[in-house]
Amino acid sequence: MKIKDKEFEPLLSGETIQQRIAQMGHLISTDYQGKDPLFIAVLNGAFMFAADLLRNISIPCEISFVKLSSYKEMKSTGTISQLVGLNADISGRHVIILEDIIDSGTTISWTLTALAKASTSSVEIASLLLKPEALTSSVRVKYLGFKIPNKFVVGYGLDYDGLGRNTASVYQIKS
Ligand code: IMP
Ligand code: MG
């Protein structure tokens, strides 16, 4: 698959992703029985993961969406704009943050800090992807889809310069 100047090759098929998300959904549904969790999905990248995961949650739950960005094209800028769109009252709630990918960990750490000001009952992370070799700080990801190599990926919500989000599979850059 080609996007702009870059060639990408398949990494995770749509079927593989859906199977894993079904397992994650089952696990979360068991762990959060009676807790009415509030999912907070980080846009834009997590929109597909959030939609598919929520269809696999079998207990009462809510979802809210926030937006922030730290990524320009292929390199993390290290600077993060603010968290916008969180209009749900999260005090006393069991919160599960939904991320598409944790790369350096900057975004998720920043999100956790922003949420720490509210008196939530608990905060956990569910991420579809994690690049362990790229992590610069330790982040505890309670629900993880896949550990992947430290290579740029697109598809299933993830983009290259805004493009490539609209596929069922995840692709990694050819090198
Ligand atoms: P971090 O702050 O370095 O952990 O980066 C997290 C954010 O950068 C993710 O939520 C993605 O939006 C974006 N990102 C990180 N790695 C990739 C990638 O390989 N492809 C596309 N977007 C990525
Ligand atoms: Mg993202």
Side-chain angles (χ1 to χ4, degrees), residues 5-139:
D5 53 325
K6 306 273 186 263
E7 274 291 340
F8 294 88
E9 60 194 3
L11 179 66
L12 301 165
S13 72
E15 198 185 333
T16 302
I17 293 169
Q18 293 304 326
Q19 280 171 3
R20 184 72 188 123
I21 289 178
Q23 293 171 341
M24 294 171 83
H26 183 74
L27 192 57
I28 293 171
S29 301
T30 306
D31 289 354
Y32 285 80
Q33 192 73 247
K35 292 184 170 175
D36 296 6
L38 170 64
F39 293 94
I40 297 180
V42 183
L43 296 174
N44 293 330
F47 78 97
M48 242 186 232
F49 173 51
D52 285 337
L53 181 69
L54 268 277
R55 275 179 276 214
N56 285 280
I57 301 295
S58 55
I59 56 167
C61 64
E62 288 178 52
I63 186 162
S64 184
F65 298 87
V66 295
K67 188 155 185 169
L68 45 82
S69 96
S70 72
Y71 229 73
K72 286 262 185 292
E73 293 201 5
M74 292 182 61
K75 285 207 171 65
S76 183
T77 59
T79 55
I80 293 184
S81 59
Q82 65 188 42
L83 191 76
V84 290
L86 187 64
N87 38 30
D89 179 11
I90 63 169
S91 63
R93 300 300 304 269
H94 292 281
V95 171
I96 304 169
I97 303 170
L98 303 181
E99 261 289 15
D100 50 354
I101 186 167
I102 297 173
D103 185 1
S104 67
T106 310
T107 307
I108 195 72
S109 300
W110 193 92
T111 308
L112 286 170
T113 307
L115 294 180
K117 291 169 201 148
S119 41
T120 53
S121 286
S122 66
V123 180
E124 298 290 354
I125 300 164
S127 182
L128 181 68
L129 306 173
L130 171 75
K131 293 179 185 167
E133 295 154 46
L135 264 187
T136 56
S137 58
S138 77
V139 178

